[in-house]
Amino acid sequence: MKYCLILTLCYFSLVSKAQIGGNSTYEFLRLPNSARITALGGSLITVRDADLNLAYHNPAALNSSMHRSLVFNQSVHMGTTHGYVAYAHNIDQLKKPFMVHAGLQYISYGEFQNRDVTGTYTGKTSAAEYAINTGIGYQVSKFLSVGANAKTILSYLGNYNSTGIAFDASAMFSDTSRNINLTVAFKNMGSQFSTYNRNGNMEPIPFDLQIGVAHKLKYIPLRFSVIMHNLHQWGIVYDDPNNQDNQALFINDGAQQDGSALKTVDDIFRHFIFNIELLFGKKGKKEILRLAAGYNHMRRGELTSSTLNDLAGFSFGIGIRIKQFQIDYGFGGYHFAGSAHHFGISVNLDEVLKGSPKKSHQNKKKPKNKTAE
């Protein structure tokens, strides 16, 4: 962990300063795809368990415990609906088995009114975007797993359409004896196939380089993760000319914050997401109850209000297992004007079939009715 942080800070000093806001298209790819990830601050590349939702952001998390898992997720945020559905299967016909999964991420922005330059109403239009995701995960050794995703992107914004493709690649080191996971993920590498304007230039998609580490305590059912994102560039602060004092370290009390040292610390922490999970009970390899909380400093720095206290950047949630079903809820604080509420349900089809009552193949002979003489 110490050497990882040193290398990361050295890397920061070599890259140029830039910001990520508004510089790419298909921004919905950054959204958390499940209620659990929403509850943990928007990213979770450091855990490898039976949750299939983790494979969307980290395909190296694919493992045999996800075999025949089916997940559904839906969130509502500021009038938009966003969801994700996926299925995973274990391919064991070869010498070394590997996992595959397929899913669909979608977001609907609702309906809008069309008006011409004079303000005359000309009808309605809608906007939606989709990402068809397929991926593979492979266990290289006892400690190392790798994976890759391919996402076909379809975007329909009124009369303007665009298509593109994105790839994810990740590697995950897991030391089960020490309960430590270390992950490197290259997310959303790719480009557009077609632009919204036929005569326009190609726009970049939201590439993200992430490194994360997780540790589960030995005697306490607590797992904490630290995830560093957007490591390919240093300055990710939105340059708002109307607000030069936009540093917000955890709690923004509206006080004036000056000094280059504070700004440097703020710039560093914008790359960090912190989250914890309390894990209760155990049924096989799956916890019965999960309590989650997270903090995303970039989200708080960009969306918090300078005059009102809000929960921007903070998130929390709960997951409970009821028989064969895993039910999750996640709350993500974005702005006092609205927050994200995420719901998810997952099921393993093998567990459902195993838990269903077996039909008896022994036909009991019915007693013959005695006919009255």
Side-chain angles (χ1 to χ4, degrees):
M1 178 63 180
K2 176 177 69 176
Y3 298 109
C4 179
L5 290 175
I6 293 173
L7 290 174
T8 302
L9 294 175
C10 291
Y11 179 81
F12 282 160
S13 65
L14 298 176
V15 294
S16 59
K17 186 171 183 178
Q19 63 186 46
I20 62 174
N23 287 340
S24 59
T25 187
Y26 308 143
E27 283 288 337
F28 76 103
L29 295 175
R30 297 184 188 271
L31 294 175
N33 65 314
S34 73
R36 182 184 182 187
I37 296 178
T38 291
L40 292 168
S43 181
L44 186 64
I45 63 171
T46 53
V47 175
R48 193 168 187 258
D49 57 20
D51 186 1
L52 174 57
N53 293 299
L54 304 179
Y56 178 82
H57 293 281
N58 175 23
L62 282 165
N63 63 86
S64 59
S65 64
M66 299 177 182
H67 176 58
R68 299 196 70 187
S69 291
L70 190 61
V71 297
F72 301 90
N73 293 274
Q74 185 72 37
S75 72
V76 179
H77 178 221
M78 300 291 287
T80 65
T81 57
H82 170 242
Y84 179 70
V85 56
Y87 173 77
H89 201 87
N90 185 35
I91 307 298
D92 57 359
Q93 284 75 18
L94 303 177
K95 291 184 178 179
K96 289 190 176 181
F98 57 90
M99 288 291 299
V100 296
H101 75 123
L104 173 67
Q105 182 187 22
Y106 57 90
I107 183 169
S108 174
Y109 302 103
E111 289 189 340
F112 302 88
Q113 294 183 355
N114 286 335
R115 297 184 182 273
D116 58 21
V117 293
T118 64
T120 303
Y121 175 73
T122 59
K124 291 184 177 181
T125 189
S126 61
E129 295 181 288
Y130 307 90
I132 303 171
N133 180 45
T134 57
I136 183 172
Y138 179 68
Q139 186 77 33
V140 178
S141 67
K142 179 181 178 181
F143 300 102
L144 180 64
S145 61
V146 296
N149 285 334
K151 303 171 185 175
T152 303
I153 306 163
L154 308 172
S155 180
Y156 305 97
L157 306 180
N159 297 325
Y160 300 92
N161 303 327
S162 175
T163 59
I165 191 167
F167 297 96
D168 304 329
S170 62
M172 190 171 191
F173 174 83
S174 301
D175 188 345
T176 55
S177 62
R178 299 182 180 180
N179 291 324
I180 294 177
N181 294 338
L182 178 64
T183 305
V184 178
F186 299 83
K187 301 170 63 173
N188 301 324
M189 302 176 289
S191 66
Q192 288 180 299
F193 285 147
S194 62
T195 62
Y196 298 101
N197 186 344
R198 293 182 179 180
N199 298 324
N201 297 324
M202 291 286 186
E203 300 175 82
I205 65 175
F207 171 72
D208 191 359
L209 170 59
Q210 295 187 355
I211 296 177
V213 61
H215 177 57
K216 184 178 179 182
L217 301 183
K218 187 175 182 180
Y219 299 107
I220 302 175
L222 174 67
R223 177 172 55 220
F224 61 88
S225 299
V226 179
I227 299 166
M228 296 167 281
H229 59 92
N230 290 290
L231 296 181
H232 58 288
Q233 59 189 55
W234 161 241
I236 58 174
V237 178
Y238 173 66
D239 186 13
D240 185 356
N242 298 318
N243 183 17
Q244 296 299 325
D245 301 308
N246 59 348
Q247 289 80 33
L249 290 176
F250 296 94
I251 302 297
N252 184 5
D253 57 3
Q256 191 78 7
Q257 300 179 1
D258 298 318
S260 58
L262 181 60
K263 186 179 184 303
T264 301
V265 173
D266 181 71
D267 286 343
I268 292 174
F269 274 94
R270 299 248 177 166
H271 292 270
F272 282 77
I273 297 174
F274 305 91
N275 57 56
I276 60 172
E277 281 187 298
L278 283 170
L279 311 170
F280 298 99
K282 200 77 173 179
K283 186 177 182 181
K285 295 183 178 180
K286 301 176 182 180
E287 293 82 13
I288 297 176
L289 178 66
R290 292 194 301 247
L291 299 179
Y295 175 74
N296 186 323
H297 186 63
M298 185 182 74
R299 187 186 299 168
R300 180 158 185 84
E302 301 294 354
L303 298 177
T304 190
S305 171
S306 60
T307 57
L308 297 173
N309 290 325
D310 53 29
L311 292 175
F314 293 95
S315 57
F316 55 84
I318 184 173
I320 185 169
R321 185 167 179 80
I322 302 176
K323 293 186 177 180
Q324 293 89 4
F325 296 91
Q326 176 70 37
I327 301 173
D328 291 282
Y329 166 75
F331 169 87
Y334 284 84
H335 195 267
F336 67 86
S339 299
H341 298 276
H342 215 144
F343 302 90
I345 184 170
S346 61
V347 62
N348 187 286
L349 299 182
D350 281 343
E351 292 181 0
V352 172
L353 296 176
K354 188 183 297 183
S356 60
K358 297 181 180 180
K359 294 182 179 180
S360 176
H361 297 286
Q362 298 178 352
N363 296 324
K364 295 181 180 180
K365 295 182 179 181
K366 296 181 180 179
K368 295 180 179 181
N369 294 329
K370 295 181 179 180
T371 56
E373 295 181 354

